[in-house]
Amino acid sequence: MATQEVVSGLDKLSAVSCEIQAIVRSLKPAVEEKLNRSFSIFHAISYRSQLVAGQNYFVKVVVGDGDDYIHIRVFEPLPHTGGQPSLGEIESDKKLFDKIPYF
């Protein structure tokens, strides 16, 4: 579900695409290292994005059975830079219906 983006602002909540899911999966080891936790479940369920000199993604990720979620911020540089997506901040102890804010 594509939504219109606002420069320097977050767009509306969107369903996760295959591209976003792949980015999130690739960052699982970095998230586990940063939180000093290992996850048997690690699946993005929704996100918001922010257009910058690249793209910031603010992603809700289910990380366990029940109501165990985290929010991660991912930066994806512009394609011409050749850079890879990188992990920014993490907010833990989130629930399914917690809104995804800017962080």
Side-chain angles (χ1 to χ4, degrees):
M1 165 179 15
T3 57
Q4 184 176 0
E5 297 178 65
V6 178
V7 176
S8 297
L10 292 181
D11 70 352
K12 295 178 183 176
L13 193 65
S14 298
V16 173
S17 65
C18 291
E19 176 189 1
I20 299 297
Q21 197 66 255
I23 291 170
V24 167
R25 264 194 307 269
S26 75
L27 295 172
K28 180 183 177 195
V31 172
E32 290 177 328
E33 182 179 336
K34 196 166 188 178
L35 292 179
N36 197 27
R37 256 178 95 181
S38 135
F39 301 110
S40 60
I41 298 171
F42 197 81
H43 187 76
I45 61 165
S46 59
Y47 75 100
R48 298 175 72 188
S49 62
Q50 176 190 38
L51 185 60
V52 290
Q55 193 82 7
N56 279 326
Y57 297 109
F58 298 81
V59 188
K60 182 182 297 276
V61 182
V62 61
V63 293
D65 293 331
D67 203 20
D68 194 7
Y69 297 83
I70 61 172
H71 294 167
I72 63 173
R73 185 176 72 212
V74 176
F75 175 69
E76 183 176 39
L78 293 169
H80 76 276
T81 67
Q84 296 298 311
S86 60
L87 178 65
E89 297 296 316
I90 302 172
E91 292 187 334
S92 54
D93 300 320
K94 296 298 178 181
K95 302 297 178 199
L96 176 61
F97 294 108
D98 287 346
K99 292 183 179 183
I100 303 173
Y102 177 88
F103 58 95

